[in-house]
Amino acid sequence: MADVKISAAQVKELRELTGVGMMDAKKALVEAEGNQEKAVDILREKGMAKAAKKGDRVTAEGLTFVTVDGDKAVVVELNSETDFVAGNAEFNALLQNAATTILAGEPADVDAALALPFGEGTLGDEIIRTTQVTGEKITLRRFAIVTKTAGQSLGAYTHAGGSISVLALLEGANEEVAKDVAMHAAAIAPQYTSADEIPSEVLEHEKSVQMASEDLAGKPENIKEKMVEGRINKFKAEISLVDQAFVKGDGKETVGAYVAAKGGKVLSFVRFQVGEGIEKQVTDLAEEVAKQLNA
């Protein structure tokens, strides 16, 4: 067989198409003399392309996970196609290994995380291997690393077995208070740490919606402006962590006031909820069965 030069782009394309590891993809391309379709057939014949044709499937299920190591912590979201796979041992082991690997390697983004060394290959290779074992597409969707400095407190919380995970960073206070803030964020789902962080376009959009409210129709513009201003202030308080009523309190104390009373200040938080923002596929079971019968 003549020497065939296989490019990284060819290997990447075959991996994405079949879900196999880097070396397996390269070997198949060499054997197929660079022919992509033939390489796919070779992998299928070897029973190695179990993850093939899963690239277009939606992974909206899965789990989040938090791990803390000294002054550093990471929150990770790993997705699968069904909650059944998300609950198995292989998936959970991968999730925990991914979190540990990412926290140690501190990659800049998901692509860099997938390239981190893991075992005899990379973290990306391990995800592909688990995809092959489970028969479902598994993806590392996102992660966030938070580092605290002297005088800061870091709180971590995971809710309902991994459906939501939160990291909260405070100036001052202590770890217990920081965890209380993380638990609040998990339950109430604030969008911003404080009102100052809310983008002007978000507020402008809300104002336009409120100005067009039916209950304000016919009122003088100056009255409408004053009423909408009050509604905007309420809107900001509802989506800003420090301005929300503390969930463990009496409903009158805000999160910011609670933390301040403990000698601290909320600096930031990261909240991951499984599948948020992902459009889930809706499957018609009768239609799927009909397709199988007619295949």
Side-chain angles (χ1 to χ4, degrees):
M1 182 184 298
D3 289 339
V4 179
K5 290 187 177 181
I6 305 300
S7 69
Q10 286 177 290
V11 174
K12 181 175 182 292
E13 183 179 352
L14 185 60
R15 289 185 69 194
E16 291 176 347
L17 186 63
T18 64
V20 301
M22 186 187 307
M23 292 309 298
D24 290 324
K26 187 173 182 180
K27 288 177 183 177
L29 282 165
V30 169
E31 186 176 341
E33 299 182 347
N35 185 299
Q36 197 79 268
E37 293 182 2
K38 188 176 179 181
V40 171
D41 288 339
I42 289 171
L43 290 169
R44 291 185 64 193
E45 288 166 5
K46 293 181 178 179
M48 297 173 66
K50 289 179 68 175
K53 297 183 180 180
K54 295 185 183 295
D56 60 345
R57 294 190 183 178
V58 176
T59 52
E61 302 297 337
L63 292 173
T64 62
F65 184 73
V66 169
T67 188
V68 181
D69 183 10
D71 292 339
K72 292 193 307 179
V74 65
V75 55
V76 174
E77 179 180 353
L78 191 69
N79 294 140
S80 58
E81 295 174 46
T82 67
D83 55 4
F84 176 78
V85 163
N88 73 25
E90 283 277 350
F91 185 92
N92 277 269
L94 174 62
L95 176 61
Q96 294 178 36
N97 286 331
T100 303
T101 301
I102 290 170
L103 188 58
E106 297 189 39
D109 52 32
V110 169
D111 286 340
L114 295 175
L116 289 172
F118 186 91
E120 296 181 357
T122 65
L123 180 58
D125 292 333
E126 182 64 11
I127 290 174
I128 288 173
R129 186 196 69 78
T130 308
T131 291
Q132 293 173 328
V133 170
T134 63
E136 278 193 14
K137 181 184 177 184
I138 295 172
T139 58
L140 172 64
R141 184 186 183 195
R142 53 183 174 167
F143 68 88
I145 297 173
V146 176
T147 303
K148 77 179 183 71
T149 60
Q152 295 180 343
S153 301
L154 186 60
Y157 176 69
T158 294
H159 179 71
S163 63
I164 301 171
S165 286
V166 182
L167 288 174
L169 182 65
L170 312 184
E171 187 67 52
N174 55 45
E175 186 178 319
E176 183 180 352
V177 175
K179 184 175 181 180
D180 279 343
V181 174
M183 291 175 69
H184 170 96
I188 308 302
Q191 296 177 42
Y192 305 94
T193 302
S194 67
D196 293 338
E197 293 183 0
I198 304 175
S200 58
E201 57 267 26
V202 172
L203 296 177
E204 289 167 5
H205 174 73
E206 181 64 19
K207 182 178 180 179
S208 67
V209 171
Q210 293 297 338
M211 289 293 285
S213 296
E214 290 184 1
D215 64 329
L216 298 184
K219 294 185 183 295
E221 284 299 310
N222 62 326
I223 299 298
K224 286 174 65 174
E225 285 283 352
K226 190 170 183 178
M227 292 180 69
V228 167
E229 182 181 353
R231 294 180 184 186
I232 292 298
N233 288 334
K234 182 180 179 182
F235 170 73
K236 290 192 290 187
E238 287 174 347
I239 63 175
S240 302
L241 173 60
V242 297
D243 295 321
Q244 292 178 334
F246 183 44
V247 72
K248 292 177 70 175
D250 58 7
K252 298 177 181 178
E253 185 180 41
T254 65
V255 172
Y258 164 72
V259 175
K262 301 294 184 179
K265 176 184 177 182
V266 180
L267 295 178
S268 62
F269 76 97
V270 180
R271 182 185 188 275
F272 285 177
Q273 182 166 346
V274 172
E276 60 187 345
I278 300 176
E279 185 175 348
K280 298 186 179 183
Q281 290 179 323
V282 179
T283 302
D284 185 322
L285 181 59
E287 183 180 340
E288 287 295 315
V289 171
K291 284 182 180 179
Q292 292 295 323
L293 290 173
N294 296 324

